[in-house]
Structure formats: structure tokens, C-alpha cells
Amino acid sequence: MTLVVIGPVTKDLILIGREKSHSVGGATYFQSFVFEKFYEDYLALVNCDDESLVEDFPDLSKVKVIKKDNTHFFINDYPFEDNLNIRNQLSNFAHIPVLPSDLEGILPEKIDGFVINPLNRYDFPGETMEYLKSFNVPIFLSIQGFLRIPCKPVNENYTIKLDYFGELDSILSEVCAIFMDEAEAKVIGFDYDVDEIVITNGSFGSRVLADGEIKIDSVKCDDVVDTTGCGDTYMAAYVSHRLKNCSIEESGNFASLIASEKLKHSGHY
């Protein structure tokens, strides 16, 4: 059985104070390093036009490229070196949707579940979500991309604004768990028929809404190097434990630990 992780790989520009660096990014990229260690039977499917980006993945045999005519580009700007909880983001908002026809013939025969990582509203159209639901396996979905819309243009890219997406009700039906941060939670609320709503809040910890609310403390990190991809790392660690029948609290505590370890490194976990 294979866990299928789907979403764009990105070209990222990281700005921390006056320091500048370029890196590969995207939720699927960051998560692949977690799954490589804690859930080895996985397959990463990434949509982009620059196939060289997958060379940085931990195991190239577990990556397949869905060839498109563009690649997501992000600028992650952390203006205060002493507070990496504050981030400004820009994106080119690439229109490179994953379609059912892209997935036919490349999915494994037996699937444990899907981890879905949209980076904007174009990535997973309604028809694609319905196709994935037809496999009747758990779906773990990151909300962030569905809420992002382009705002003020800056150097041919756009600042990112969060706004409610009217199609969320149909998208989230039959989804096992959804993941978001507190800012995204304020935009969409919590009135959705999903088993688990996982909400992260950086150094302030996280919480899971299931049968009641379970609060998860953050694991202290005294040497924070890079917060980019931390939420994606948390999600992968959480999913890896839940699929092994660990409790919500056990999975949240494990995810918090792995996310803390990610903070100590530039790039992936």
C-alpha cells in the first residue's frame, strides 16, 4: 500500500533580514523528507515545467513529474531576523492544474491515502478532487492554497491575500482531515463535516478539533534557522502517525517534535 502525496514543487527565494537564498520548495517537497524517514511507502507527484527541481528530493524513484508549462515561484520574506513567525509572501500564481487525466496511469494499484497540497486555487479543480475521492481512501488536505488570491503586484509577482473560497463545502466533503494555520482558520471557520481539523500556530503550538479540542504544545527550539516549510513538515509527521493508528494527541505531539527539528535547519527536515 502506498501513500500518494500530490502538489507543486516550487522555486523559492528566501529573504531573512538582509540574507538571500534560493531553494526548492513546496509542501510536497518538504513532506517527502518526513515520509522518507517515517512512512517509506509513498509516492510524490509534482506538477511543474522544470523537471530539474526533483533532483533535490530524497529518493528520485519515489517522484513522478506531471509536466506542465509553468512552475510555481514564491518569495518568502522574513523582515525580522529575530522573529521568524512574521512572513510576507509573493507568488507568480502559476496556472498549472492537476487534472484527472494527469493521474490516470501513474497512480499505484493499492493506495493507503492521499495527501493533497494545493498552493493556489488552480492546482486542484473540483473534478480532480472528486476523482481522488472515488478511491475511497483517507484524504488529508492542506487548505492554504484554496484561500490564496493575488493582491498587489510586485515585480511581475503578486502579494498573497487570503479570502474565502465558495467551493470549499463541496471540496471538503468526504475529506478525512484538513490542515491550516490560525490566520487561515479565521477566514474559513470550522463548520465542516471532516473528522479532524488541525490548526497550527507556530511557536504557540497547535490544536486539533475532533471530538472536542485537543491542544498540542510546541517543542521549544532555541536555535531557529528557517521556518519555511515548517507547517508542511508538521502535516506530514502528523499523517505518518495517524496512518499507523496512533492517537490524535500522539500524532500531534510527534508532529510538533519533528517541526521543531525542522526549525534548526535551512531547507527541509
Side-chain angles (χ1 to χ4, degrees):
M1 299 285 280
T2 303
L3 178 64
V4 181
V5 190
I6 315 175
V9 62
T10 71
K11 294 180 179 178
D12 287 357
L13 171 61
I14 311 297
L15 305 174
I16 301 178
R18 296 183 178 181
E19 297 295 322
K20 178 189 297 187
S21 62
H22 296 270
S23 67
V24 176
T28 299
Y29 170 74
F30 291 114
Q31 291 170 356
S32 67
F33 289 89
V34 179
F35 291 130
E36 182 68 21
K37 188 165 185 179
F38 300 109
Y39 204 96
E40 293 184 2
D41 190 0
Y42 73 94
L43 174 66
L45 305 178
V46 297
N47 47 320
C48 65
D49 72 336
D50 186 352
E51 298 186 52
S52 69
L53 295 175
V54 304
E55 294 173 3
D56 284 350
F57 277 69
D59 187 341
L60 295 184
S61 70
K62 298 176 183 177
V63 187
K64 292 184 179 181
V65 175
I66 299 172
K67 185 70 173 177
K68 296 293 178 176
D69 60 4
N70 203 350
T71 293
H72 284 279
F73 173 69
F74 280 85
I75 299 173
N76 295 304
D77 181 10
Y78 300 92
F80 306 108
E81 294 181 58
D82 59 348
N83 187 0
L84 296 184
N85 283 317
I86 298 175
R87 176 179 70 175
N88 301 316
Q89 275 193 307
L90 291 85
S91 173
N92 63 344
F93 279 86
H95 190 167
I96 49 173
V98 176
L99 303 174
S101 57
D102 295 321
L103 301 172
E104 292 170 356
I106 66 172
L107 292 175
E109 289 187 10
K110 296 183 179 180
I111 298 172
D112 279 339
F114 291 109
V115 177
I116 309 301
N117 297 305
L119 295 185
N120 64 34
R121 294 184 183 180
Y122 306 129
D123 284 326
F124 290 89
E127 62 181 304
T128 303
M129 292 302 301
E130 291 305 311
Y131 175 72
L132 296 173
K133 292 173 188 178
S134 71
F135 288 83
N136 296 313
V137 297
I139 294 177
F140 303 90
L141 173 64
S142 171
I143 287 293
Q144 61 179 350
F146 286 120
L147 302 182
R148 289 171 168 167
I149 60 172
C151 194
K152 180 181 176 181
V154 180
N155 297 329
E156 299 182 355
N157 296 299
Y158 295 87
T159 55
I160 293 174
K161 178 181 177 180
L162 300 180
D163 196 18
Y164 183 77
F165 189 37
E167 297 177 26
L168 273 182
D169 283 339
S170 60
I171 287 172
L172 298 185
S173 67
E174 303 175 58
V175 168
C176 175
I178 58 176
F179 295 76
M180 67 192 82
D181 63 22
E182 289 287 358
E184 292 154 357
K186 289 178 182 178
V187 174
I188 72 166
F190 312 114
D191 189 20
Y192 295 98
D193 186 20
V194 297
D195 295 333
E196 297 164 28
I197 300 176
V198 185
I199 306 166
T200 58
N201 195 18
S203 60
F204 297 100
S206 55
R207 55 197 178 108
V208 183
L209 306 181
D211 292 328
E213 179 177 286
I214 299 172
K215 293 185 178 180
I216 307 295
D217 292 332
S218 64
V219 174
K220 187 177 180 181
C221 177
D222 293 324
D223 185 21
V224 177
V225 174
D226 182 9
T227 61
T228 303
C230 195
D232 306 319
T233 299
Y234 180 107
M235 179 178 174
Y238 184 95
V239 170
S240 71
H241 258 43
R242 287 298 279 149
L243 285 176
K244 295 175 182 176
N245 296 316
C246 295
S247 70
I248 289 175
E249 187 170 12
E250 289 173 325
S251 301
N253 286 328
F254 176 71
S256 184
L257 174 64
I258 299 305
S260 179
E261 288 296 314
K262 157 66 187 80
L263 289 172
K264 301 175 185 178
H265 305 281
S266 178
H268 57 78
Y269 165 73

